[in-house]
Amino acid sequence: MPDLGDLEFDDSGLDTWTDEEHFEVTAERLAEYAAATNDPIEAHRSGAVAPPVFGIVPVFEALLTPAVDVLPVELIPRVVHGEQDFHFHRPIKPGDKLVSRGKMIGYEGLENGTRAAIVLECRTQDGELVNEQYVTTFVRGYNVGRAVGSLTPDHKFDDALRDQEPVAVVRQHVDDDQTFRYSPASGDPMPIHLDEEVAKSAGLPGIIAHGLCTMAFASWAVLTEVADSDVNRLRRFAVRFSKMVLPGDDLETRIWRKATSDGITTYMFETTRVGTDGQKAITDGLAEISEG
């Protein structure tokens, strides 16, 4: 890594909400997202209700701004999406007029980089809270040398679960054109997902799948297996992005039941790239499902 010197983080940007972003939901946009993630759930495919990971789409413009407000501009190209944690109050529906905002709440220097935490909030124009999202970003190769503020809620995998059989194992295939369908459906134009030469110039083996597309695959695996394909029952859905996924990959999501309390059952899951000696694309997966 090149020498970046002593860069200054602007702590005055912490706990400061961004300007509001507005988004109007259509059934067509919901159906496009479901199709772009190979989602088999009919309510999603028809656009009657949003798939859970569609929740990132209305807040996408508010996602990077908190990082720009705190991190030195020289570090922005090093920022990657490390973890995503949705807390749902209700699903997104056609006709919703959504208002989103975000803020960075803290950061922590680590040996191989800096972890930074962002909170995103999505409401209707009338003020109804639709979801909250906790995003962990990671600044590769730059240790800020201190910890400030708060980090995101924990969802670490319980290794004791490996002593029992998973309640479900779901195999899925990433299509060769997956990124070209996901990019317009999600509003994410990053060229490493669309341009082979750009991806290789960034040190990648070629075009890679969007992490949130892989998360969407895991979400419908969980919903179909343990929630009767009913997104209304999903209260929380969190992952840590571990290894890249390539077009043409086969994935396997393994789901374990952890506990039930107050009408909520907690499941934990991992998504592995098949044929890679257990290389995990998603780790520390957590889903909280309410009783039907």
Side-chain angles (χ1 to χ4, degrees):
M1 295 286 182
D3 182 14
L4 295 172
D6 295 322
L7 299 176
E8 291 294 326
F9 281 46
D10 184 1
D11 291 350
S12 69
L14 292 173
D15 290 313
T16 302
W17 289 110
T18 62
D19 293 338
E20 294 179 342
E21 300 288 344
H22 294 258
F23 187 94
E24 187 165 352
V25 183
T26 65
E28 291 77 14
R29 188 69 185 271
L30 301 184
E32 181 187 17
Y33 191 89
T37 56
N38 299 1
D39 191 325
I41 297 173
E42 178 54 33
H44 303 168
R45 300 285 290 198
S46 68
V49 66
V53 182
F54 180 86
I56 196 67
V57 177
V59 307
F60 192 76
E61 294 298 325
L63 177 57
L64 187 58
T65 303
V68 174
D69 288 345
V70 176
L71 305 182
V73 66
E74 295 90 342
L75 296 181
I76 297 302
R78 295 167 177 260
V79 174
V80 295
H81 197 161
E83 300 178 29
Q84 178 74 28
D85 185 356
F86 290 97
H87 293 241
F88 300 104
H89 295 270
R90 73 153 171 88
I92 293 171
K93 301 173 183 177
D96 280 341
K97 295 180 179 179
L98 302 175
V99 180
S100 303
R101 59 181 184 168
K103 63 180 178 179
M104 184 173 286
I105 58 174
Y107 57 82
E108 177 186 35
L110 303 170
E111 183 176 346
N112 59 342
T114 297
R115 178 171 55 174
I118 294 169
V119 175
L120 300 166
E121 180 186 88
C122 182
R123 297 180 180 268
T124 65
Q125 280 188 339
D126 297 330
E128 179 188 6
L129 185 59
V130 176
N131 64 65
E132 297 156 292
Q133 303 177 37
Y134 295 87
V135 178
T136 299
T137 59
F138 189 73
V139 184
R140 296 170 297 166
Y142 186 83
N143 179 357
V144 69
R146 64 184 186 274
V148 175
S150 305
L151 297 176
T152 52
D154 180 62
H155 53 92
K156 188 170 178 58
F157 190 88
D158 182 354
D159 285 326
L161 294 173
R162 300 190 196 283
D163 294 334
Q164 57 186 266
E165 289 295 312
V167 297
V169 178
V170 182
R171 292 284 292 263
Q172 299 163 307
H173 180 71
V174 181
D175 297 329
D176 290 341
D177 68 344
Q178 201 85 53
T179 64
F180 295 95
R181 290 155 45 214
Y182 186 81
S183 180
S186 65
D188 184 345
M190 287 289 288
I192 59 172
H193 306 299
L194 303 169
D195 189 306
E196 194 85 15
E197 290 186 8
V198 170
K200 288 182 176 179
S201 70
L204 300 168
I207 287 172
I208 64 170
H210 301 73
L212 286 158
C213 183
T214 304
M215 186 180 188
F217 271 52
S219 73
W220 63 253
V222 169
L223 287 177
T224 56
E225 292 297 323
V226 299
D228 297 321
S229 298
D230 185 359
V231 71
N232 294 281
R233 295 174 57 191
L234 188 60
R235 295 290 176 265
R236 184 181 177 191
F237 196 74
V239 303
R240 183 171 74 86
F241 301 109
S242 182
K243 299 294 184 181
M244 68 186 74
V245 170
L246 306 179
D249 274 355
D250 290 308
L251 305 176
E252 182 177 271
T253 296
R254 300 168 66 84
I255 306 164
W256 288 265
R257 180 182 178 277
K258 183 178 180 183
T260 299
S261 178
D262 298 325
I264 301 289
T265 300
T266 300
Y267 296 89
M268 306 207 78
F269 62 91
E270 296 175 329
T271 299
T272 302
R273 296 177 65 207
V274 176
T276 60
D277 294 325
Q279 189 178 98
K280 294 181 176 65
I282 285 176
T283 61
D284 298 328
L286 180 145
E288 294 180 353
I289 310 290
S290 67
E291 294 180 354

